[in-house]
Amino acid sequence: MAYEPPQLEVYINQFAAKTFAKPYHREFVNILNLKGHERVLDYGSGAGGPASLIAKTLKKGNGFLTCVDISQRWMDCAKKMLSKYENVDFYLGHIAKLDIKDNSYDIVGIHFVIHDIPAESWPEVTSSLASKLKTGGLLYMREPVSDIQQAENMMSLFERAGMQRVYVKDVKVPLSSRTIEMCMKK
Ligand SMILES: C[S@@+](CC[C@H](N)C(=O)[O-])C[C@H]1O[C@@H](n2cnc3c(N)ncnc32)[C@H](O)[C@@H]1O
């Protein structure tokens, strides 16, 4: 069963995405280094903060964004936030079960999502995400971690799914515990 947020949490997130969290969403979207023509999968799109910035950039170059989330309420939120963009589609459910074509994305973005997922599901999630990328495609992730071992575990799973490490580093995100940013290449 997906966690469905109470309406208050939704309002707070929507407010955050339009105000104080926006610079951090922008910072994440900047590292994706989008030219505009890419196909991007935003995993765990939530209220649509990073997704709306990605969609705006992709609109300029005929790129395309797919938003995936497990929660109906967050998905409704993202749909509302992105309603003015035509270059976006939305998938609700488990990435391993969704009818999304393999080898079809240039970039996967994951912003503060994996910590919400039980560790026993990580192998399936990481291999499904890797399968959606084209060869040479890049996966960028920002996640709060308890220690570096947790980041190592995530990277090892992506490696097992046939990806290589590009970099991992600590980043400062206000109100978040230790946060790492990583990039993996297929
Ligand atoms: C903390 S929010 C982050 C939302 C967005 N990425 C952002 O930075 O604003 C985490 C999101 O991940 C979603 N999520 C949790 N488990 C998921 C899963 N197994 N598959 C897809 N999305 C999931 C939640 O529903 C929620 O929308």
Side-chain angles (χ1 to χ4, degrees):
M1 261 280 274
Y3 166 76
E4 294 294 348
Q7 197 56 45
L8 180 63
E9 189 179 335
V10 170
Y11 289 145
I12 292 169
N13 266 271
Q14 285 173 323
F15 176 74
K18 288 177 186 161
T19 56
F20 62 87
K22 196 165 181 176
Y24 303 100
H25 292 164
R26 196 181 298 284
E27 198 179 277
F28 178 66
V29 173
N30 284 346
I31 65 166
L32 308 184
N33 199 19
L34 298 171
K35 307 284 178 274
H37 62 270
E38 296 89 345
R39 287 180 54 82
V40 180
L41 191 155
D42 183 31
Y43 181 65
S45 42
S52 58
L53 299 171
I54 294 170
K56 191 173 177 188
T57 306
L58 296 180
K59 194 179 167 193
K60 295 175 196 152
N62 275 331
F64 196 84
L65 171 66
T66 292
C67 293
V68 171
D69 208 289
I70 195 88
S71 146
Q72 180 72 63
R73 194 164 252 184
W74 283 130
M75 181 121 285
D76 291 345
C77 246
K79 282 185 177 168
K80 204 168 157 193
M81 183 100 156
L82 288 134
S83 57
K84 65 176 173 189
Y85 298 106
E86 285 167 9
N87 56 335
V88 185
D89 63 6
F90 299 87
Y91 285 85
L92 176 72
H94 285 280
I95 185 74
K97 301 204 173 84
L98 295 174
D99 188 18
I100 297 176
K101 218 169 147 235
D102 284 350
N103 303 307
S104 60
Y105 290 88
D106 301 291
I107 291 174
V108 168
I110 310 173
H111 192 251
F112 287 77
V113 178
I114 301 288
H115 64 280
D116 269 1
I117 301 175
E120 61 266 25
S121 301
W122 291 1
E124 190 182 41
V125 166
T126 48
S127 73
S128 300
L129 288 171
S131 73
K132 302 304 169 202
L133 277 169
K134 299 174 185 171
T135 303
L138 294 166
L139 179 144
Y140 292 93
M141 175 159 104
R142 274 193 175 183
E143 276 299 318
V145 290
S146 48
D147 54 35
I148 197 65
Q149 191 51 48
Q150 211 182 355
E152 278 295 327
N153 293 347
M154 290 179 196
M155 286 187 292
S156 304
L157 288 169
F158 282 117
E159 283 171 340
R160 243 189 268 167
M163 301 185 72
Q164 296 157 16
R165 294 175 195 212
V166 179
Y167 70 80
V168 58
K169 64 180 184 183
D170 279 279
V171 285
K172 290 236 175 307
V173 178
L175 304 178
S176 174
S177 57
R178 183 174 184 181
T179 304
I180 53 106
E181 175 184 307
M182 68 167 80
C183 175
M184 307 285 303
K185 184 174 184 174
K186 182 168 172 186

